[in-house]
Amino acid sequence: MKILFFNDPLVFKCIPRIYPKVTDVLVLTLRNEMNNLEITPDFTFTVGEFLEVTILAQPTDFKIQNKYEITLENGNDIIYKGKTLILKSGT
């Protein structure tokens, strides 16, 4: 599970199933586990030892203690699937 902090930079690192090329167009989907709302935020990524994903703007649905299912796709291929929890900054 990835932890993101409310009102802090939204960055997480992961080991994908298949590493993308830096020129690939990826789609990030966050599904709120409480109300099934799906969010597709704008993001950037870098490829190194890990895949580092940076969500550019905090989604309006983000609230402290919300849990989301993360799906990162490259075309029809799911390259990462996981979960994230939003916590209060500094905890």
Side-chain angles (χ1 to χ4, degrees):
M1 178 173 288
K2 306 298 179 192
I3 303 297
L4 297 176
F5 294 100
F6 194 72
N7 288 333
D8 280 359
L10 302 172
V11 179
F12 67 90
K13 294 180 182 180
C14 62
I15 299 174
R17 298 175 185 180
I18 303 166
Y19 278 88
K21 297 178 183 116
V22 293
T23 57
D24 286 345
V25 176
L26 305 182
V27 175
L28 174 66
T29 304
L30 303 172
R31 184 186 62 82
N32 186 321
E33 292 186 344
M34 295 297 290
N35 60 17
N36 283 327
L37 177 69
E38 286 195 358
I39 304 166
T40 53
D42 291 332
F43 70 100
T44 61
F45 68 94
T46 57
V47 179
E49 183 179 348
F50 297 99
L51 177 63
E52 184 173 293
V53 176
T54 303
I55 299 172
L56 300 176
Q58 185 163 289
T60 56
D61 185 62
F62 272 22
K63 307 259 184 297
I64 295 172
Q65 295 294 323
N66 277 7
K67 288 191 342 186
Y68 295 86
E69 180 181 271
I70 302 169
T71 305
L72 190 58
E73 297 174 289
N74 186 0
N76 291 329
D77 297 325
I78 294 176
I79 63 169
Y80 180 75
K81 201 157 186 78
K83 296 195 182 230
T84 188
L85 176 65
I86 310 302
L87 293 180
K88 182 178 176 182
S89 181
T91 57

